[in-house]
Amino acid sequence: MTPKINILLIEDDKSICNFITTSLEAGNYRVTTAGTGKEGLSLTASLCPDVILLDLGLPDMDGLDVLTRLRTWTSNPVIVVSARTKEEEKVNALDTGADDYITKPFGTSELMARIRTALRHSRPNTHARIYKAKDLVIDFEKRLITLEGREIHLTQIEFQLLTLLAENSGRVLTYGYMMNAIWGPYVDNNNQILRVNMANIRRKIEKNPAQPTYVFTEIGIGYRMLESEN
Ligand code: CA
C-alpha cells in the first residue's frame, strides 16, 4: 500500500476544518488540523507534511507571520486558504513564499487540483522538459514552441516569459515575481513592459486573446498558465 499523502491544515474555523478534512480523507489523504499558528508551526516540524494548507486569519498570530517563520526552514508547499479577497494580501502571501492560494468559499475539486499542482512542483525529479496542454507544446531544450503543429516565433523576452509560466504551470506568478525574474530587481516597478509582452504572447498563442485558453490573468495579482498534461 502506498503511504498516504499528509496534509496539515492550519485553520481555526471548525466548519471549514470539517469540510476540508472530510473532502480530503475521501480523496485518500491523511489530514491533521491545527487551530492556531503556534500549533501549526510545531506540527509542521513533527509531521513534515507533504502540503500545508494555511488560513491567514488565525487567533494567535497572522497567517503571513506563520508563513514567514515556515519559510526560514522548510520549502514544503504551502497553499494559503483565505477569506480575504484583497489582491495585495494574496500577492503578499505569494511573495512571502506561498505556492498558491485558494479563496473561500471553494469547491472540493478546485482544492484537490491545487494540492496536486503543489505536489507536482515539490518533486524536483519530475521536472518536465516538455510543456504540453491542448494544442500547445513547448520544448524547453530545443526552444521550440508549436501550436497545432505550427511553429510559433517569439522574441527572446517573450520566450523567457512563456517558459517561466510554463515551468510553473498551474500556479499563479505575481507581477513582481515575473518582473524580477526577467528584468531583474532594478527595473521600474510599473508593469507596463510586462503587460505589453504578455499581450504579444497572447496574440501569438491564443485563438482569441480576450478569452485565453493557455495564459490566464489573475486580476491585480499576476498570471497563471494552464497546467501541463506532462
Ligand atoms: Ca480563520
Side-chain angles (χ1 to χ4, degrees), residues 11-13 55-59 104:
E11 163 71 81
D12 61 315
D13 184 318
D55 175 31
L56 289 183
L58 294 166
K104 299 170 190 171

Side-chain angles (χ1 to χ4, degrees), residues 32 74 81 84 90 93 108 142 164 173 177 192 195 219:
T32 307
T74 175
V81 180
R84 301 179 189 184
K90 292 173 187 169
T108 307
K142 291 185 187 155
L164 183 67
L173 300 183
Y177 177 86
Q192 185 62 19
R195 277 188 267 122
I219 295 166

Side-chain angles (χ1 to χ4, degrees), residues 196-208:
V196 168
N197 276 280
M198 291 306 299
N200 290 338
I201 291 172
R202 280 193 170 136
R203 224 167 14 77
K204 294 176 183 180
I205 67 167
E206 302 282 5
K207 283 206 181 90
N208 178 1

Side-chain angles (χ1 to χ4, degrees), residues 47-105:
L47 293 174
C48 202
D50 297 290
V51 175
I52 299 161
L53 301 176
L54 174 65
D55 175 31
L56 289 183
L58 294 166
D60 60 330
M61 55 196 289
D62 193 293
L64 276 181
D65 295 332
V66 176
L67 181 58
T68 305
R69 298 262 291 272
L70 286 173
R71 281 295 175 250
T72 61
W73 58 276
T74 175
S75 60
N76 286 8
V78 175
I79 301 173
V80 163
V81 180
S82 171
R84 301 179 189 184
T85 47
K86 280 192 192 149
E87 278 78 28
E88 62 189 75
E89 284 172 322
K90 292 173 187 169
V91 170
N92 272 343
L94 292 165
D95 286 342
T96 303
D99 293 77
D100 207 344
Y101 64 82
I102 186 164
T103 308
K104 299 170 190 171

Side-chain angles (χ1 to χ4, degrees), residues 179-180 183-189:
M179 296 285 290
N180 189 58
W183 288 281
Y186 303 112
V187 70
D188 183 352
N189 63 4

